[in-house]
Amino acid sequence: MIESLEKMLAKGVDNSLLRFGLGKGYLDLGENAKAAEHFQRCVEFDPKYSAAWKLLGKAHLAQADVAAARQAWEQGLEAARAHGDKQAEKEMTVFLKKLERQAH
């Protein structure tokens, strides 16, 4: 799946859905830095893409970058609230609470 998406990207196709697919593919493979890069581009295309913010935070956390994870989830919460994505809002709230507990 990643190969076909990478080929599309190489041909000049670039949008939030493509970047989300690439980010998810790399996250599933444990290639967290590449995943974070694609999720970051995804939210640049579409700042309201709460699922991308959520996974961007996970990719950052997997690289032990707690500050970047927190920032992604806080921005993701704003995006989720702005367009009523209750499920993503709940999940990111839980993730942020876990970070707070670990920090103490």
Side-chain angles (χ1 to χ4, degrees):
M1 178 195 122
I2 288 178
E3 284 176 27
S4 60
L5 294 176
E6 286 284 10
K7 281 179 188 164
M8 289 172 68
L9 188 61
K11 286 180 186 165
V13 177
D14 200 359
N15 57 49
S16 59
L17 278 176
L18 179 67
R19 291 296 186 148
F20 184 83
L22 283 164
K24 180 88 175 78
Y26 283 118
L27 191 64
D28 291 346
L29 290 173
E31 293 190 35
N32 302 308
K34 272 188 172 178
E37 189 182 310
H38 287 297
F39 288 130
Q40 186 63 50
R41 292 288 295 132
C42 178
V43 297
E44 287 168 14
F45 278 116
D46 183 359
K48 294 188 206 82
Y49 206 145
S50 49
W53 284 113
K54 181 178 79 175
L55 295 181
L56 175 60
K58 283 190 166 198
H60 283 311
L61 191 60
Q63 297 176 84
D65 191 342
V66 175
R70 177 179 289 116
Q71 185 179 17
W73 289 332
E74 286 171 351
Q75 288 178 273
L77 269 178
E78 287 176 32
R81 287 182 184 131
H83 66 100
D85 188 346
K86 294 290 182 204
Q87 183 59 36
E89 184 180 338
K90 274 185 204 166
E91 289 177 42
M92 286 184 276
T93 300
V94 168
F95 296 157
L96 284 165
K97 283 182 179 163
K98 281 183 184 171
L99 284 184
E100 288 306 310
R101 281 199 299 272
Q102 290 168 358
H104 297 291

